[in-house]
Amino acid sequence: QTGATVVQGVQTDQKMGGKYIGEQLVKDLGPNGSAVVGIVGEPTAVAANMRDEGFKEGIATNPNIKVVALVNGKVEETTSLKVTTEMLQGNPKMNIVFSNTEPAALGSLAAIKQSGLADKVKLYAFVDRIGVKHIGENTVMKAGAIQDPTGLAKIQVENIKKYLAGEKIEPMISSPPTLVNKASA
């Protein structure tokens, strides 16, 4: 519509989601834990890069966690399966995979299982409803962050009411996703 303006945007804080996942990994490993990590991501996507940045920030408190590889899963399950398999073959000490999209997570999960590494390699990932199911019933996928579209819509509706009542509202709201682990899945 001509003359329309955007009053407010509401989005998921992608970086915070990655940080939550990294912090969960640190917690799961314990104070003396160590890990060799590979990331299955999408290097050309801003949201995925923010997730990776947050994840690295979340693990920074433990110097024994090292990220040694980043492969491009292209936000495709089959591509992620292939590149995760290759990454695991090329890094036999790798024991953690971080996938920054749901398709990458599903491909990585399949790669870990098909490679016979389900007892050795654990998966942390951005997920949606399918991924949450895997966290709840799976010993490979340990934790993830899930976006909350219902929560984002609620924030937006509340702020529309405020705007229509003449109140000032923030031009952009970044809402953190929800951390999901076995206890909350």
Side-chain angles (χ1 to χ4, degrees), residues 41-57:
E42 173 49 82
T44 63
V46 172
N49 288 326
M50 295 302 293
R51 293 169 179 180
D52 294 350
E53 187 180 322
F55 177 76
K56 290 174 185 174
E57 193 175 296

Side-chain angles (χ1 to χ4, degrees), residues 39-52 70-76 79-80 83 98-104:
I39 297 175
V40 181
E42 173 49 82
T44 63
V46 172
N49 288 326
M50 295 302 293
R51 293 169 179 180
D52 294 350
L70 168 63
V71 295
N72 189 349
K74 299 183 179 178
V75 194
E76 298 171 352
T79 300
S80 295
V83 298
F98 170 65
S99 296
N100 63 27
T101 67
E102 168 94 358

Side-chain angles (χ1 to χ4, degrees), residues 79-90:
T79 300
S80 295
L81 168 65
K82 179 182 183 298
V83 298
T84 302
T85 300
E86 292 167 353
M87 179 177 69
L88 290 168
Q89 289 170 347

Side-chain angles (χ1 to χ4, degrees), residues 24-136:
Q24 181 68 52
L25 171 58
V26 169
K27 181 179 175 184
D28 290 349
L29 292 174
N32 299 315
S34 64
V36 177
V37 180
I39 297 175
V40 181
E42 173 49 82
T44 63
V46 172
N49 288 326
M50 295 302 293
R51 293 169 179 180
D52 294 350
E53 187 180 322
F55 177 76
K56 290 174 185 174
E57 193 175 296
I59 63 172
T61 59
N62 182 333
N64 299 317
I65 301 174
K66 304 285 186 211
V67 176
V68 299
L70 168 63
V71 295
N72 189 349
K74 299 183 179 178
V75 194
E76 298 171 352
E77 192 171 334
T78 54
T79 300
S80 295
L81 168 65
K82 179 182 183 298
V83 298
T84 302
T85 300
E86 292 167 353
M87 179 177 69
L88 290 168
Q89 289 170 347
N91 296 280
K93 292 184 179 182
M94 187 172 288
N95 60 342
I96 300 292
V97 173
F98 170 65
S99 296
N100 63 27
T101 67
E102 168 94 358
L106 297 176
S108 295
L109 179 60
I112 292 165
K113 288 180 173 181
Q114 290 175 15
S115 298
L117 297 172
D119 291 337
K120 179 184 174 222
V121 179
K122 302 306 174 199
L123 177 62
Y124 291 75
F126 257 81
V127 295
D128 65 18
R129 304 290 177 231
I130 297 169
V132 169
K133 180 183 79 133
H134 285 292
I135 292 168

